[in-house]
Amino acid sequence: WIETEGREDVLSKDTYLKATFKLVEDVMTRAAGDIVIDSVEIKCRGNSSYTQTQKKSFRLKFNNKISIFNEPEDKSYVMIANYFDKTMIRNMLAYYMGQISNLEYTPSFHFVELILNGSYHGTYMLGDKLKISKNRVNVGEDGFLLENDARVASSDIYFNTDRLQYPISIKDPDIEYDSEQFKYIKSFFQ
């Protein structure tokens, strides 16, 4: 259950709303009936799901690090709507294949039913927000996180390559265009 202050609708990708978060487990992840209650900030996320659907995906930011479903503690989580996948299997199957392939990092996700401001919103995948950290993408202090995607926001720092159709966005760390770090990442990637 997520309840925003004043039951305000979550509509923006830019502005967080303050909310309360309550997770009641009714399966044996930790123990049936375990409850997690905390304050959270919530905003929309996504591209196609944000602009083309009524069922939005969300970004959650807790004040303190918490563990959800016995996963390592963190402050940042996402809720993926899977609106375009009526089977609700494709994303979860891809993450499972990453886990059994022994990749260094694969995001952890769990299915949840969302009740937002008293209204049932359906099944979501609740899990890790991709970011550089010890328990997420562990590339150390000198590493970086990149994304290859057709939808580059005007606020993104990105570069193009001769070999890929879509731009490469630098998601982490925060850098400026034409800085030494920007030039290094672009050169390293190419």
Side-chain angles (χ1 to χ4, degrees), residues 1-4 19-21 40 42 60 79 114-118:
W1 287 268
I2 297 176
E3 184 93 15
T4 61
T20 56
F21 174 91
V40 72
I42 184 172
L60 303 176
M79 296 186 73
L114 175 63
I115 298 172
L116 178 61
N117 292 330

Side-chain angles (χ1 to χ4, degrees), residues 36-93:
V36 175
I37 300 175
D38 210 332
S39 296
V40 72
E41 293 182 352
I42 184 172
K43 70 178 182 177
C44 290
R45 69 174 300 277
N47 291 311
S48 299
S49 63
Y50 179 71
T51 59
Q52 299 174 20
T53 71
Q54 292 295 315
K55 186 178 180 184
K56 307 295 184 205
S57 293
F58 302 107
R59 165 117 188 256
L60 303 176
K61 184 169 69 172
F62 292 89
N63 293 327
N64 302 300
K65 290 183 177 184
I66 67 167
S67 173
I68 295 179
F69 299 112
N70 253 0
E71 301 295 345
E73 290 184 340
D74 206 287
K75 292 182 179 183
S76 300
Y77 293 90
V78 296
M79 296 186 73
I80 299 176
N82 285 323
Y83 181 83
F84 295 108
D85 178 13
K86 302 306 182 202
T87 66
M88 305 292 286
I89 292 174
R90 292 189 310 229
N91 280 330
M92 193 62 90
L93 180 60

Side-chain angles (χ1 to χ4, degrees), residues 133-148:
S133 88
K134 184 181 100 181
N135 292 319
R136 300 280 170 95
V137 182
N138 190 4
V139 293
E141 294 180 20
D142 296 330
F144 38 90
L145 184 61
L146 307 176
E147 179 180 63
N148 180 230

